[in-house]
Amino acid sequence: MSDHAATNGRPLLTPFNIVAGIIVVVGLILTVLRFTGGLAATTNLDDYNPWGLWIGFDLLVGVALAAGGYVTSAACYIFGMKRFHSAVRPAVLTGFLGYALVVVALHYDVGRPWRLPYPFIMQQGTTSLLFEVGACVALYLTVLFLECTPVAFEWLGWKKARALAVKMTMVLTIFGVILSTLHQSSLGALFLIAPSKLHPLWYSGYLPVYFFVSSIIAGLSMVIFEGTLSHRAFHDKMDAVHLEERDGVVLGFAKAASLVLAGYFFIKVVGISADNNWHYLGTGYGAWFLVEMIGFVMLPSILYAVGRRDKNIPLIKWTAAWTVLGVIVNRFNVSMIAFNYHLPASDRYFPHWMEIAISVFIVTVGVLIFRWIVTRMPIFYEHPDYQDSH
Amino acid sequence: MSISRRKFLGWMGVAGAGSLVGRSAKAAGNKHFTGHPESMGVLYDSTLCIGCRQCEAGCNQVNQLPPPEKPFDDLKVLDTTRRTDAKTYTVINRYTPATGDKPVFRKIQCNHCLEPACASACFVRAFTKTETGAVTYDASVCVGCRYCMVACPFEIPAYEYDAALDPEITKCTMCYPRVSKGLLPGCVDTCPMEALTFGKRDDLLKIAHERIRKYPDRYVDHVYGEKEMGGTSWLYLSGVPFKQVGMREDLGVTPAPSLTAGALGAVPMVVGLWPVLLTGVYAISKRKDKIEQQEKAAAVETAKEQTQSQADAKLTEALAQAEKDKDAAVEKAVAAALEEAARKQEEAAQKAEADSSASDDPASGDSGATPSEEES
């Protein structure tokens, strides 16, 4: 609606742009280093620690935090919560960019990235959970792309294509939920094969369920958290409906997140009981586990509930950021901190600064693309030609 | 849409079928895989090992691996604990057990599991458990994801982290090419102490148990690899608890594929049931909307009717009231008019009377009688 506001007359050399520019330049240099010197030149990975930050953060956290897409579209289209409609487009766009960047990040991590389609075109290793992850991520990326096409078609003014794409909404949403259920859970199931390496407090036969349920928490919290950031940066892009529904989205998602967190806490306790791992709580890892469970699961569940009851929007926003951090902590625990717990400290892994820099680079690229799109396409507002057409 | 759906069903079919009839992921059943019949293995008797590193040299030679940093006869290397890496398929480590000061040795290489974790975890099937018992690796399809290294409970596979564009996984092949030609594995061939015995796994198990039976004081009563992770083609005998020579005793006896079979088996269930559940939820929410709308419409209709009838009643009432008011007003007006007329007549009469009394007019008496008659 207000296309001119952001694109016209905005200075190029803002502090944000300068920092982002530096990150991108450093990232490009490190990219060259990675593909000329190999993983040894850019990472601290070794034979004991084959997976590091690029799997723990870029893949596990990336996919979990991109869950907002399927959670929001399912709430709106399948569960019929139409009042969340204005939240769908930003969430689906974030999901699409998130997954696209996960795939980009994997190109850095695997040895021969051009062979990534091999599991589908050469030999199918269907006994591997990684095959399931790969197949579902590839398909879901396609689904998210198709879910995003109406936005681009509206921008381009292709009415017929847009009408066709919108008709597919329902089918795509259902596919999206199925695929998300499968690969969110199978990311957790990746670790099922290594009970001797993952600390018993984190290893459980329920790992796939834990990853799936916590992805819902991540998705709900990310919609709130990312919406907060978007409000600061792109307030002028948002139409009256978006702004009006905003508080309703925050309150509704806070309520849902509080409940899911409570359920998640319960099933985690069930896991500890089922394997009778109570005695580990007294150890150092046990203390850290309690920090995760009480600090990052129980506490946000309560804070979300209080925020919802008192209609305390700032409290909910802070809780959302805290919960997102909690999901990151959980994925780091499973993939790095509690993984290889049996090894002596000298054989443990800590990421190289270049690994961190590449991860930051990829996130920055995601933010830049997000900004490019929302300042041009109808994400935070409804295109004037298509109002009331949903 | 039709393309993505077909693609989707195709992939899910592959994934689903794979988990049901997969070669090594046992979804369920009462069968226990004990290795390919007649498959080979190696028995390592650590009580016979002197830590001379000749096996390392033999391995390096037959596999044409790059020369080591320090020569194989340099035993100072044993001062540090080592592991397999991209240039080394096997290493000997020295340990000082808690009991006694005599050092003991332990050889590390791929154990060639009967149901290998690496093969189960590989999403391009780069690993094969061959009929000889060796687990082999095919670099021509490997993507380099390193999930095999995550999966391996013995931490054996290594990776060429230095290679920028063509890194490979490296690990002991149990000298598959040599064994296929009827030769011994390199390490077994070079061992001067006969600490390594190559043979059929079933025979090796018998030999191992026989040694324990014959020399109960010499050995711990356990053949490592007989049951660990479902059994391995390499078997170990030791004079000290295996834990003291860096071998994990907490791995359990479950073959690696069984650990993921449940999760894989859930895939077709989700694919089959989620659409049913989700369309169900969608139908319910849609129906709720529809009923809500119907109820709304019905309520509006009722309200309209009610308002109408209320208005009608009010109107009738108002009309009746108006009629009444009108009658009353007419009556009142008539009465007022009559009164006025009477008053005027009286006034006129009085005036006439006064006039007649003044002029003595007899007509005034008649006019006074007329209004009083009308009034009655």
Side-chain angles (χ1 to χ4, degrees):
Chain A
M1 279 191 164
S2 47
D3 264 324
H4 51 86
T7 40
N8 284 1
R10 179 171 278 194
L12 199 63
L13 287 176
T14 58
F16 175 84
N17 284 357
I18 293 170
V19 173
I22 294 170
I23 292 173
V24 169
V25 170
V26 171
L28 290 175
I29 294 169
L30 294 182
T31 303
V32 172
L33 198 58
R34 152 68 185 92
F35 288 105
T36 51
L39 290 177
T42 41
T43 71
N44 277 346
L45 298 175
D46 58 31
D47 292 329
Y48 278 121
N49 302 285
W51 284 359
L53 191 71
W54 291 347
I55 296 296
F57 181 78
D58 299 9
L59 176 63
L60 297 187
V61 172
V63 167
L65 296 189
Y70 90 87
V71 171
T72 313
S73 53
C76 179
Y77 296 126
I78 297 178
F79 291 83
M81 301 176 182
K82 302 248 167 59
R83 63 183 191 279
F84 299 146
H85 191 267
S86 63
V88 171
R89 278 193 173 178
V92 169
L93 176 64
T94 315
F96 171 63
L97 291 178
Y99 276 87
L101 292 172
V102 163
V103 175
V104 170
L106 282 180
H107 284 69
Y108 286 80
D109 188 75
V110 302
R112 308 191 203 203
W114 58 92
R115 284 186 178 178
L116 276 171
Y118 271 28
F120 313 119
I121 58 173
M122 298 293 282
Q123 295 190 118
Q124 288 80 38
T126 49
T127 57
S128 172
L129 263 310
L130 201 59
F131 180 84
E132 193 191 332
V133 171
C136 291
V137 168
L139 285 172
Y140 187 48
L141 187 60
T142 314
V143 166
L144 280 169
F145 174 75
L146 292 174
E147 281 187 309
C148 281
T149 50
V151 175
F153 291 153
E154 286 177 15
W155 180 54
L156 295 166
W158 299 357
K159 301 207 172 187
K160 275 189 184 161
R162 190 251 178 210
L164 188 73
V166 167
K167 269 190 196 143
M168 288 157 57
T169 303
M170 202 52 223
V171 178
L172 287 177
T173 305
I174 290 183
F175 275 165
V177 176
I178 296 167
L179 293 168
S180 295
T181 309
L182 291 178
H183 72 256
Q184 293 285 0
S185 60
S186 52
L187 282 177
L190 283 179
F191 296 90
L192 285 178
I193 205 159
S196 58
K197 295 185 182 176
L198 183 56
H199 191 281
L201 283 173
W202 282 273
Y203 185 91
S204 163
Y206 297 122
L207 259 177
V209 184
Y210 293 162
F211 266 56
F212 173 59
V213 174
S214 54
S215 83
I216 298 173
I217 296 165
L220 293 166
S221 300
M222 262 313 267
V223 169
I224 301 175
F225 175 66
E226 181 221 303
T228 310
L229 298 183
S230 292
H231 255 257
R232 293 221 180 124
F234 309 113
H235 193 87
D236 55 331
K237 298 265 113 198
M238 298 173 175
D239 66 2
V241 178
H242 191 97
L243 295 171
E244 203 175 279
E245 289 187 356
R246 174 67 191 147
D247 281 1
V249 169
V250 170
L251 291 172
F253 276 41
K255 187 176 173 184
S258 174
L259 288 168
V260 182
L261 275 162
Y264 180 65
F265 186 87
F266 180 77
I267 59 172
K268 288 284 272 189
V269 173
V270 167
I272 300 298
S273 286
D275 296 334
N276 197 11
N277 284 330
W278 295 106
H279 58 286
Y280 288 109
L281 292 180
T283 64
Y285 276 105
W288 180 234
F289 181 78
L290 288 176
V291 168
E292 186 191 322
M293 286 300 291
I294 294 170
F296 288 106
V297 180
M298 190 196 264
L299 180 69
S301 175
I302 294 168
L303 291 181
Y304 267 136
V306 171
R308 168 70 183 78
R309 187 195 62 191
D310 301 344
K311 300 212 178 343
N312 186 342
I313 304 281
L315 175 65
I316 293 175
K317 286 177 177 172
W318 281 108
T319 308
W322 184 249
T323 312
V324 167
L325 182 64
V327 173
I328 297 174
V329 166
N330 174 259
R331 298 307 193 255
F332 277 19
N333 280 341
V334 172
S335 64
M336 292 180 278
I337 297 169
F339 190 80
N340 275 341
Y341 74 106
H342 61 290
L343 292 180
S346 56
D347 289 332
R348 296 298 302 276
Y349 162 84
F350 191 85
H352 194 280
W353 72 265
M354 291 193 213
E355 292 180 78
I356 301 171
I358 287 285
S359 292
V360 172
F361 163 64
I362 289 170
V363 172
T364 307
V365 169
V367 173
L368 290 175
I369 299 175
F370 185 81
R371 187 178 70 166
W372 190 87
I373 292 177
V374 298
T375 50
R376 281 164 183 78
M377 302 185 196
I379 299 291
F380 292 122
Y381 58 92
E382 285 189 44
H383 195 285
D385 294 354
Y386 306 100
Q387 269 168 7
D388 310 316
S389 58
H390 45 79
Chain B
M1 184 198 87
S2 65
I3 289 169
S4 77
R5 171 186 222 140
R6 190 180 304 157
K7 239 164 84 183
F8 171 79
L9 289 174
W11 287 125
M12 289 308 108
V14 168
S19 67
L20 291 175
V21 298
R23 42 194 68 203
S24 48
K26 295 184 299 178
N30 56 358
K31 290 206 170 67
H32 173 53
F33 182 67
T34 50
H36 289 295
E38 307 282 290
S39 74
M40 312 302 276
V42 179
L43 173 64
Y44 169 67
D45 188 335
S46 83
T47 64
L48 300 174
C49 180
I50 55 166
C52 64
R53 297 186 67 209
Q54 283 305 301
C55 53
E56 288 185 32
C59 175
N60 180 279
Q61 196 196 336
V62 302
N63 289 300
Q64 287 149 1
L65 298 173
E69 282 172 31
K70 287 176 185 168
F72 285 112
D73 51 12
D74 180 0
L75 295 185
K76 281 221 174 76
V77 170
L78 295 173
D79 290 346
T80 52
T81 306
R82 297 170 300 147
R83 61 155 289 158
T84 55
D85 59 36
K87 294 169 187 161
T88 323
Y89 291 175
T90 185
V91 293
I92 291 284
N93 276 332
R94 187 181 62 206
Y95 297 88
T96 311
T99 54
D101 43 7
K102 209 178 131 208
V104 290
F105 301 94
R106 172 230 170 170
K107 184 176 182 296
I108 306 175
Q109 75 299 305
C110 175
N111 284 327
H112 300 274
C113 304
L114 301 183
E115 296 179 67
C118 53
S120 166
C122 183
F123 68 163
V124 274
R125 296 208 321 262
F127 293 95
T128 314
K129 177 75 177 171
T130 63
E131 71 293 342
T132 66
V135 177
T136 58
Y137 163 74
D138 176 8
S140 73
V141 291
C142 178
V143 181
C145 73
R146 308 186 297 286
Y147 188 32
C148 51
M149 299 166 71
V150 168
C152 178
F154 303 108
E155 293 162 332
I156 293 304
Y159 185 72
E160 294 174 333
Y161 285 100
D162 291 326
L165 296 173
D166 55 352
E168 291 180 10
I169 293 288
T170 59
K171 75 168 197 68
C172 158
T173 62
M174 210 161 94
C175 283
Y176 182 66
R178 282 172 63 87
V179 170
S180 304
K181 279 188 251 167
L183 297 167
L184 283 175
C187 55
V188 179
D189 208 16
T190 46
C191 180
M193 299 304 293
E194 289 188 21
L196 293 169
T197 315
F198 181 79
K200 284 180 192 159
R201 184 176 184 268
D202 293 340
D203 297 341
L204 295 176
L205 271 174
K206 281 180 200 141
I207 294 171
H209 282 293
E210 185 62 16
R211 284 189 198 170
I212 294 173
R213 195 188 64 78
K214 266 191 182 160
Y215 310 103
D217 297 339
R218 193 183 166 103
Y219 296 105
V220 171
D221 187 11
H222 182 72
V223 180
Y224 195 100
E226 183 177 9
K227 298 214 170 80
E228 274 74 12
M229 294 303 293
T232 61
S233 291
W234 274 70
L235 302 165
Y236 300 79
L237 284 173
S238 171
V240 298
F242 288 97
K243 210 177 169 181
Q244 290 180 22
V245 289
M247 298 171 81
R248 295 191 69 173
E249 291 175 334
D250 58 351
L251 296 179
V253 298
T254 311
S258 308
L259 295 166
T260 54
L264 284 168
V267 173
M269 293 298 110
V270 170
V271 174
L273 292 178
W274 247 223
V276 179
L277 211 87
L278 294 173
T279 37
V281 171
Y282 175 63
I284 291 170
S285 81
K286 215 176 167 190
R287 189 175 144 70
K288 217 180 78 192
D289 277 0
K290 202 175 151 195
I291 290 177
E292 212 175 81
Q293 266 171 5
Q294 277 174 349
E295 282 179 349
K296 219 177 184 174
V300 168
E301 201 54 45
T302 321
K304 242 160 89 184
E305 266 170 35
Q306 236 169 26
T307 325
Q308 189 62 48
S309 64
Q310 267 174 6
D312 284 353
K314 242 185 194 160
L315 193 64
T316 327
E317 208 177 299
L319 282 173
Q321 187 66 38
E323 193 80 6
K324 240 166 131 187
D325 287 356
K326 210 170 104 190
D327 286 354
V330 169
E331 258 172 50
K332 216 170 156 188
V334 170
L338 287 176
E339 213 169 302
E340 178 72 12
R343 199 176 47 81
K344 272 187 182 162
Q345 221 159 15
E346 211 160 309
E347 263 174 36
Q350 275 171 2
K351 210 179 173 186
E353 218 167 292
D355 285 352
S356 69
S357 59
S359 62
D360 202 23
D361 190 349
S364 66
D366 292 342
S367 63
T370 316
S372 66
E373 265 172 39
E374 265 182 43
E375 255 174 272
S376 68

